[in-house]
Amino acid sequence: MSTTVDNAVNVEYLGEVYRTGQGWFCVDPVDQYVAKTLIETGSFGSGQLGLLQRFCGEDSSVLLLGAHIGTIAVPLSKRVKNLTVFEANPRTYQFLSANLKLNDCANVEAFNLAANDKEAELRFVLNTVNSGGSKRFPVHQDQAYFFDNPEVATVQAVRLDDFLRGKHYDLIFMDIEGSEYFAMKGMPQLMAEAQVLFVEFLPHHISRVAGVSIEQFVECLSGFETMIKPSIPAAYHGDAIRTTLIDMFHAGIGEEELIFARGHFDIVFGPAAP
């Protein structure tokens, strides 16, 4: 079965299609987080999108890991030169593919793969109530990760420096529910060439999902000279980056996105781009 929006695009019918402030979106009606918010408010992830737009422009190449159904990828694609996106959850990837077609995102290259430190097959938890919380099988099987009795599937994972050999990105964005450490270990070259890196920082993802130490995590970020914590906002430099991350970890303080940048600078957040 297919559905038509404005007689322009046909996509395989997966769920209900809604026109939102961020574009046309086919959503999974089972999802009570992203889909529900998008339907009820007309947007999702607008704060992240606003921050991203401050660090990239029409000539930018962007790598987005954890694209989910495309609530960031779709609007961001209209503001950058090109966008490469990864989504590991095979069911969510179907919605992502449909939404890229619905919104005519011709400058987006999408892959149904997980980012990892090596090529491998990973066990992957396919959450349904909050599909955005789907993740690699956690080292510690806390009930919070399995509250909706999710299916556990096998997904293909790749080392991004190998898979994207020859590619260059000005900005890298990661929201991959505990796989950030492994993704960073697998793309030191891509990170070395990027000017800006966005990373979700949740202590329980580092310790309970990835099962690594905060010191291991911080080491992956050693090449960046500035860290911005948007919730305050505040900028940290040099050794203060490492100290702040370790303190946040031990205090159990997370951040939706931490921003790491080349060079030493301070930042004042003005109005977001319209």
Side-chain angles (χ1 to χ4, degrees):
M1 182 176 180
S2 65
T3 185
T4 304
V5 178
D6 284 355
N7 298 316
V9 179
N10 290 306
V11 298
E12 181 182 355
Y13 181 77
L14 300 168
E16 299 177 357
V17 177
Y18 293 86
R19 186 172 187 173
T20 76
Q22 291 172 219
W24 288 99
F25 284 94
C26 181
V27 301
D28 186 349
V30 176
D31 189 296
Q32 297 298 299
Y33 187 54
V34 175
K36 182 179 175 65
T37 303
L38 191 60
I39 292 167
E40 292 182 351
T41 70
S43 69
F44 185 88
S46 57
Q48 292 173 312
L49 184 60
L51 285 172
L52 279 164
Q53 290 171 186
R54 291 186 169 94
F55 291 91
C56 58
E58 60 183 13
D59 294 325
S60 299
S61 294
V62 177
L63 173 61
L64 197 162
L65 308 180
H68 198 246
I69 66 170
T71 54
I72 289 177
V74 166
L76 186 62
S77 71
K78 310 304 181 184
R79 295 179 175 270
V80 300
K81 181 179 179 181
N82 56 67
L83 186 59
T84 302
V85 303
F86 285 73
E87 174 52 50
N89 185 326
R91 176 163 175 77
T92 303
Y93 183 80
Q94 289 182 291
F95 288 95
L96 172 64
S97 296
N99 294 331
L100 293 175
K101 292 178 182 178
L102 283 171
N103 294 279
D104 191 26
C105 298
N107 63 337
V108 180
E109 188 174 23
F111 298 98
N112 182 203
L113 296 167
N116 198 34
D117 58 338
K118 60 185 176 182
E119 184 173 341
E121 291 187 339
L122 297 181
R123 296 177 71 197
F124 202 83
V125 180
L126 308 181
N127 293 106
T128 54
V129 174
N130 176 12
S131 58
S134 300
K135 58 178 61 62
R136 66 169 53 229
F137 197 84
V139 171
H140 300 279
Q141 288 94 65
D142 298 350
Q143 180 57 34
Y145 304 139
F146 299 91
F147 74 99
D148 54 355
N149 298 314
E151 175 188 354
V152 177
T154 299
V155 303
Q156 185 63 42
V158 294
R159 184 176 184 271
L160 292 180
D161 270 358
D162 297 330
F163 188 79
L164 297 173
R165 189 178 301 277
K167 299 277 191 179
H168 167 82
Y169 299 98
D170 305 292
L171 184 150
I172 300 173
F173 176 98
M174 286 193 287
D175 185 355
I176 46 179
E177 304 299 309
S179 285
E180 290 82 3
Y181 168 78
F182 299 102
M184 291 190 289
K185 290 290 287 185
M187 59 172 178
Q189 185 62 42
L190 288 171
M191 287 176 59
E193 295 172 349
Q195 293 301 305
V196 181
L197 172 70
F198 279 61
V199 184
E200 181 182 45
F201 183 84
L202 294 177
H204 70 92
H205 278 173
I206 296 169
S207 61
R208 308 297 294 177
V209 177
V212 299
S213 69
I214 183 58
E215 287 78 11
Q216 288 174 290
F217 187 92
V218 171
E219 183 61 31
C220 296
L221 300 161
S222 60
F224 293 95
E225 297 169 69
T226 298
M227 180 182 81
I228 299 167
K229 190 175 180 183
S231 63
I232 298 178
Y236 304 85
H237 309 99
D239 291 341
I241 297 175
R242 177 184 180 86
T243 301
T244 301
L245 287 172
I246 292 174
D247 288 347
M248 288 174 64
F249 177 84
H250 289 300
I253 298 172
E255 187 85 8
E256 187 175 50
E257 298 299 336
L258 290 173
I259 305 168
F260 297 87
R262 304 290 174 189
H264 182 110
F265 67 92
D266 294 300
I267 185 165
V268 175
F269 288 135

